[in-house]
Amino acid sequence: LFSFIFFSFFFLCVFSCPGSVMFLFQLTDGRVYLHSGDCRASDELISSPELRRVKLEALFLDTTYLNPQYTFPPQESCVQFAVKKAKEAISSNRKTLIVCGTYSIGKERVFVAIAKALGSRVSVTAAKKKILDCLEWPELTEMITSDWSAGQVHVLPMMQVTHKGLAEHLAQHGGSNAAVVGFRPTGWNQQKGQLGLEQVRASTRGPVTTYGIPYSEHSSYSELQRFVQRTRPARVIPTVGSYDERRLMDRTFNDWLAKS
């Protein structure tokens, strides 16, 4: 709890990625505001005591995936899918490099789980290592290295996890590995009509195989709906989208609240 003259605020852990939080502001006049930040609104989160006991004046909501197309599998299911495919690849060919795509922050659960399953260290760029060291996550700190030859699991920028990018990385930093399997864990992989992970297919060209996994650190459409209907704010303010898009979003929010 942080208190100032006119308001106080709490941090609520959202577990989307290491260090992610929501801000709950309580003004001295009794009004309460919640800023979700980038969050995955799990049932555990939206049922937390801190949210159940307040009436929200406004909810500033992460609307990255406010589209019925985006209904993601649970994060843990996506992680286990990646682990399974990585183990299958190594079992088929021991000289296979495993690559996980990331942004500046996020996706750590995916590559940590793969590395643990394979008993491998995680090789990253020196710049990425500096970022990960800031997380103060002991298990991760022991696991990561900037030596490309020390780990069978490598972490690269998401945009580099393509057939061309992985082929170049394999040639430059693959050592004795003869093949590479790359994972792109992002919600943008969710395809219209895709109902589950069983529909995720490998894309292979020569020694390079890629998987697009709908692992998201943002809330899906259905999770956003539950979040709004459970918290019932007086007003929902989207934090992602153009002016015209936000007008359409307002209609969606009002419809959800009318049905709750």
Side-chain angles (χ1 to χ4, degrees):
L1 170 65
F2 296 82
S3 297
F4 298 89
I5 296 175
F6 298 109
F7 69 94
S8 60
F9 69 91
F10 298 85
F11 290 131
L12 299 179
C13 294
V14 300
F15 308 109
S16 296
C17 63
S20 55
V21 296
M22 293 195 301
F23 288 87
L24 185 66
F25 294 91
Q26 296 183 324
L27 277 61
T28 53
D29 64 7
R31 288 178 294 166
V32 180
Y33 296 84
L34 179 66
H35 196 299
S36 73
D38 292 349
C39 81
R40 186 75 186 263
S42 65
D43 283 336
E44 178 184 7
L45 172 65
I46 60 182
S47 299
S48 64
E50 292 84 358
L51 295 183
R52 287 204 309 268
R53 64 173 177 242
V54 297
K55 173 62 178 176
L56 296 179
E57 180 73 17
L59 167 62
F60 293 82
L61 186 64
D62 169 22
T63 47
T64 301
Y65 291 111
L66 189 67
N67 183 316
Q69 170 182 332
Y70 298 110
T71 300
F72 307 127
Q75 284 186 336
E76 185 57 28
S77 297
C78 293
V79 169
Q80 292 308 312
F81 177 89
V83 168
K84 177 184 177 183
K85 295 301 180 182
K87 290 173 70 174
E88 289 175 353
I90 297 297
S91 177
S92 177
N93 181 359
R94 295 291 302 175
K95 292 187 175 182
T96 299
L97 181 66
I98 304 299
V99 173
C100 182
T102 69
Y103 303 118
S104 295
I105 195 72
K107 320 305 179 185
E108 292 82 7
R109 291 179 183 173
V110 181
F111 61 77
V112 166
I114 293 172
K116 288 174 66 174
L118 300 181
S120 170
R121 297 194 72 185
V122 177
S123 298
V124 301
T125 64
K128 180 69 172 179
K129 187 175 186 302
K130 288 182 180 180
I131 294 173
L132 295 176
D133 284 340
C134 292
L135 300 179
E136 299 182 353
W137 181 354
E139 182 180 37
L140 179 59
T141 300
E142 292 179 6
M143 191 177 287
I144 58 175
T145 173
S146 56
D147 180 358
W148 291 117
S149 66
Q152 195 165 13
V153 178
H154 289 189
V155 169
L156 294 177
M158 195 72 72
M159 296 300 292
Q160 197 173 335
V161 185
T162 62
H163 292 99
K164 182 177 183 293
L166 291 177
E168 292 174 351
H169 185 76
L170 179 64
Q172 294 174 8
H173 301 294
S176 63
N177 289 297
V180 57
V181 172
F183 297 100
R184 292 189 309 277
T186 168
W188 299 116
N189 288 311
Q190 181 79 24
Q191 301 296 316
K192 189 173 183 179
Q194 186 181 61
L195 301 177
L197 289 166
E198 63 275 4
Q199 294 177 280
V200 174
R201 296 287 181 264
S203 176
T204 301
R205 296 180 191 173
V208 179
T209 296
T210 63
Y211 290 93
I213 303 173
Y215 174 95
S216 178
E217 286 152 343
H218 300 268
S219 301
S220 68
Y221 183 85
S222 59
E223 289 165 341
L224 291 172
Q225 181 175 1
R226 288 199 301 273
F227 195 5
V228 170
Q229 290 179 329
R230 294 269 188 93
T231 56
R232 292 195 56 77
R235 184 184 178 194
V236 182
I237 303 172
T239 60
V240 180
S242 67
Y243 175 76
D244 288 338
E245 289 173 330
R246 294 184 184 201
R247 293 176 64 187
L248 294 174
M249 291 177 187
D250 286 340
R251 297 177 191 173
T252 298
F253 300 144
N254 290 334
D255 183 55
W256 288 349
L257 290 170
K259 294 178 179 178
S260 63

